[in-house]
Amino acid sequence: MMLDYAHPRTLETYLEEIEDHVKNGTKKDFIRGKTVTVSPADLSVNSYSDEARALWDADAGKYGQASKVMAEFVLKLGKAMEKLFPDLNILYLPYMNYTLAPDGYKFPGNVYVELCGMPGIAQYKEPTIRAEDQANMEKWVAATGHPVTDWHYSCWPADRTNAPFAYPNVLQAFYRDNREKTMGTFINGGDDNEWLRFHVTLRNWMKLLWSVDYNVNAGLDEFARRMFGAASGTVREILALQVSGWEESRWPDATLTAQSVYGVSYPRTTLEKFQALFAKAHEQVKGDELATRRLAFLESPFQDFYSEFARVMDGEGLQHMVAMKVMENPKLDGQLGDPVWKDAPPATLRVRKKDGTQVEPKFPTTVQAVWTLDGITFGIHMVEPDVKNLKAEVTSRDHAFTWHDDCVEIFIDVSGKNAGEFVQLLVNSAGAVQDLKTGDETFNLENVKTAIHKGDGEWSMEVFIPYADLDYEKASAGGDKWGIQITRHRARSEAKATAGDENQKLNAGSGGFNSNLSDFSILNFRE
């Protein structure tokens, strides 16, 4: 599924395909006009060939571990193309774990870069994040001798919070500082309600791409004045709160968490101001049908914002779990038949409807947990009318497509803070394991044990995780609290007689990726 860019045959194949295109006019998906694109599949580069391991940089962090693998390939391809195909250029997309420019590389003049801003440009409000991405951009400019094209995500971190944040000044500062270093931006959206929630910022973004000197605050003034009639002044206050709450707040360790968003950027006092201002605005536009409709449009995403605030800050609607202490670890056979499971209270996974409500899934799943002084064991029971056709294409460790199979995913934050650091464990229906720590794919739970049982109309799984693998010291008594999220992915498969893929979660109220911290709850250790 992923090319091994360190293997010599990959470079040879690229050149053979380019030659076929140039000489014979054969259409190639990776060639556009005079541009040869180098963009791996939408996964981290993770080859285990000897050539790749020699270039692997385990100390470069999650954005740089494979940077030398890709840079070496692009360098060799660029030099070969200079001689063989001098009329063609390369457009290379640094992304995922090869985003960072590695030291010591100078590319030929036919290499251009389209650079991904991995954290999401909205997070450039944090000086350290902005400085790190700025330094990386400048390093790529120096390495290629060309300005970069930006690939920026309007959908990040919008996928991890329902807050209707706004960041026009952040955008303007970026483009003003880099007017000579960037050739333009591809804005990568994707949220269903993106225009609904961010139309004010996106409008400013489009304006800035035409002129970096566009006055974003004057634009907000005019937007409020022209759209909301008698409520224009009040709406302008709402917009100002959206902007200042996001742009002027500083998160602990510059880390995006649900607590950062709702405890720092938009705390309870700000939420109450939003509610009061909208109530005032509705009074002001009474009798003005058009302004009333526009105000309703502006306000519509705020209900999800209020609901998520209540979940994160007040725990409303969050389903917690209990892990019960037992005398010995259960026998791992996947059947959940050991007597210790009778004392472990079950929780039922849920799915999120489009209106944000959580309901029981069509194919129910219950989860349980028990603990000893050695470690914790999770038991998951899943209703499945077509067990023989469970999807299990992945059979190797740490495969990036594990989630595409029928699988269970367990997120654990042993600090209990749900502040951004967690271990992520996926186990598919064949028992294949993928494990990460806060996105680091080199992390392994060395002694994790799994067992799968497939029955009639159901399948189940038991997973034992020793505390030592989590670098956690467990006291003999209960009272510990871990952050937790557990999911089940019922995969779509044409072979299944019963259609219906489902992504189920212990908590699904906020939606988005399974790693959305706004849906993490608490696992309570009890005796």
Side-chain angles (χ1 to χ4, degrees), residues 324-336:
M324 293 301 298
K325 185 178 182 180
V326 294
M327 295 301 295
E328 60 183 3
N329 297 315
K331 176 185 176 182
L332 287 190
D333 57 12
Q335 298 188 49
L336 299 174

Side-chain angles (χ1 to χ4, degrees), residues 306-324:
Y306 301 149
S307 298
E308 187 169 82
F309 182 98
R311 282 193 297 276
V312 172
M313 303 306 290
D314 303 324
E316 291 185 12
L318 279 179
Q319 180 177 208
H320 299 303
M321 272 192 70
V322 171
M324 293 301 298

